Amino acid sequence: DVKVTQSSRYLVKRTGEKVFLECVQDMDHENMFWYRQDPGLGLRLIYFSYDVKMKEKGDIPEGYSVSREKKERFSLILESASTNQTSMYLCASSETAHTEAFFGQGTRLTVV
Amino acid sequence: QQQVKQSPQSLIVQKGGISIINCAYENTAFDYFPWYQQFPGKGPALLIAIRPDVSEKKEGRFTISFNKSAKQFSLHIMDSQPGDSATYFCAASYSSASKIIFGSGTRLSIRP
């Protein structure tokens, strides 16, 4: 059974903290994505990676960075967490842009 | 323009009725149009997808209708069931980029 695993389901952090969200996939997929999901705004792309150590900005990259040192792992970093980054974060992977994207269960991050 | 516009934001349908969700896009380079279904507490999962060389694709009770000239596509759920109650996202992607752009989502409720 294919799987995308996010390290935490729920996370509470303080304003100004550096936050790491980890995602691991076991399907040997080239592409990995980070989205945030907010009511009424759908899934907004933060960053994606199409190869190890390769990354591209999505639609809302401000305040975030990413790291992909190994093919199976894609990390999202909040450099200095702010309350407006309170959201559900979803990681996904896919073989190509034309194949199914598999999602993790999400990390609900609250910044206080 | 990368945006994919989805409507309605929410939809209530009687059991046995037809649920219709619409999406429109701007970028004519898009060449893959999937629909994802998300249940509470879960990540989105692929439901059905279409490429622009066909005008319709049907899988069971789910049908995508695609109008290339109007740059619109829609999801039809026939004989809607309470188990179909979920959030639905349309999406689009294209060959020269790995990223997948999602619509804002539709919360569908099927009344028994």
Side-chain angles (χ1 to χ4, degrees), chain B residues 6-82:
Chain B
Q6 183 173 347
S7 63
Q9 188 169 356
S10 63
L11 182 62
I12 299 174
V13 175
Q14 289 294 127
K15 180 183 175 182
I18 302 173
S19 304
I20 302 173
I21 304 170
N22 301 298
C23 283
Y25 63 97
E26 294 292 329
N27 190 342
T28 55
F30 286 141
D31 57 6
Y32 179 69
F33 301 90
W35 284 88
Y36 284 78
Q37 180 187 54
Q38 184 183 31
F39 293 106
K42 303 286 187 182
L46 181 67
L47 184 63
I48 186 173
I50 197 168
R51 292 179 189 253
D53 52 347
V54 297
S55 60
E56 185 175 284
K57 183 174 182 180
K58 185 175 181 179
E59 291 184 2
R61 295 184 295 109
F62 300 91
T63 300
I64 300 178
S65 297
F66 187 83
N67 186 329
K68 189 173 182 178
S69 61
K71 292 187 285 186
Q72 295 175 347
F73 59 110
S74 59
L75 175 69
H76 295 236
I77 306 174
M78 310 300 289
D79 187 27
S80 300
Q81 299 297 312

Side-chain angles (χ1 to χ4, degrees), chain A residues 36-74:
Chain A
R36 64 176 282 176
Q37 182 175 8
D38 301 288
L41 297 177
L43 301 171
R44 292 182 292 166
L45 182 63
I46 304 171
Y47 269 96
F48 69 100
S49 168
Y50 53 89
D51 200 351
V52 175
K53 298 195 178 183
M54 305 302 288
K55 60 187 179 184
E56 282 200 27
K57 294 179 180 179
D59 298 320
I60 52 165
E62 296 79 18
Y64 304 94
S65 62
V66 290
S67 172
R68 194 171 181 196
E69 296 296 318
K70 293 185 178 181
K71 190 175 186 180
E72 68 270 19
R73 187 179 297 270
F74 191 37

Side-chain angles (χ1 to χ4, degrees), chain A residues 11-85:
Chain A
L11 214 50
V12 179
K13 295 292 181 180
R14 294 192 179 278
T15 301
E17 276 193 77
K18 190 169 186 176
V19 181
F20 294 85
L21 303 184
E22 306 287 345
C23 176
V24 177
Q25 51 100 358
D26 65 359
M27 295 163 281
D28 200 36
H29 283 166
E30 301 292 331
N31 301 324
M32 295 189 75
F33 310 86
W34 276 106
Y35 292 89
R36 64 176 282 176
Q37 182 175 8
D38 301 288
L41 297 177
L43 301 171
R44 292 182 292 166
L45 182 63
I46 304 171
Y47 269 96
F48 69 100
S49 168
Y50 53 89
D51 200 351
V52 175
K53 298 195 178 183
M54 305 302 288
K55 60 187 179 184
E56 282 200 27
K57 294 179 180 179
D59 298 320
I60 52 165
E62 296 79 18
Y64 304 94
S65 62
V66 290
S67 172
R68 194 171 181 196
E69 296 296 318
K70 293 185 178 181
K71 190 175 186 180
E72 68 270 19
R73 187 179 297 270
F74 191 37
S75 302
L76 179 69
I77 303 156
L78 285 66
E79 299 291 342
S80 176
S82 64
T83 55
N84 62 13
Q85 292 178 310

